[in-house]
């Protein structure tokens, strides 16, 4: 048997919004509610963006506080969000 111990603290909590597209890179569209949540929970808000989802999926993670620092609107252009990614899988 394999046993995994998972330690969770408040610092580990994330509000994750998942976005995906068939294209390798695309603009990210946020609803008014998503923008409101981003503003309310900026320290734990993340966007997980899956590009090229049907061919060769690539996952990018973007921290909410970084998005707010660049003054996000309902549409985040691909030229803007790509520079904010923290992890890529």
């Amino acid at each position: 048997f394999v046993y995994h111990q998972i330690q969770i603290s408040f610092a580990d909590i994330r509000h994750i919004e998942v976005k995906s597209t068939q294209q390798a890179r695309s603009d990210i569209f946020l609803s008014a509610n998503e923008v409101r949540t981003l503003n309310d929970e900026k320290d734990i808000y993340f966007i997980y963006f899956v590009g090229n989802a049907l061919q060769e999926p690539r996952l990018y993670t973007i921290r909410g506080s970084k998005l707010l620092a660049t003054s996000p609107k309902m549409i985040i252009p691909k030229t803007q969000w790509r520079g904010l990614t923290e992890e890529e899988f």
Side-chain angles (χ1 to χ4, degrees):
F1 293 102
V2 178
Y3 177 76
H4 296 281
Q5 182 177 3
I6 300 173
Q7 180 178 0
I8 297 176
S9 68
F10 182 72
D12 297 323
I13 295 173
R14 291 185 175 192
H15 178 114
I16 299 172
E17 188 65 49
V18 179
K19 301 290 185 176
S20 66
T21 182
Q22 293 180 16
Q23 301 168 348
R25 293 199 176 106
S26 178
D27 296 347
I28 297 174
F29 299 90
L30 298 177
S31 69
N33 189 46
E34 290 166 343
V35 171
R36 200 169 21 258
T37 303
L38 167 60
N39 281 295
D40 292 345
E41 300 182 4
K42 65 181 177 233
D43 294 329
I44 62 169
Y45 192 96
F46 287 79
I47 292 179
Y48 283 22
F49 180 77
V50 181
N52 204 13
L54 298 179
Q55 302 272 327
E56 295 178 32
R58 199 93 181 141
L59 174 66
Y60 305 90
T61 63
I62 308 163
R63 186 178 298 269
S65 56
K66 286 189 175 184
L67 286 174
L68 285 176
T70 60
S71 196
K73 300 191 167 73
M74 304 272 283
I75 300 172
I76 306 164
K78 61 184 170 189
T79 55
Q80 182 180 359
W81 68 258
R82 185 63 179 101
L84 301 175
T85 57
E86 294 186 4
E87 299 172 310
E88 184 177 329
F89 302 94

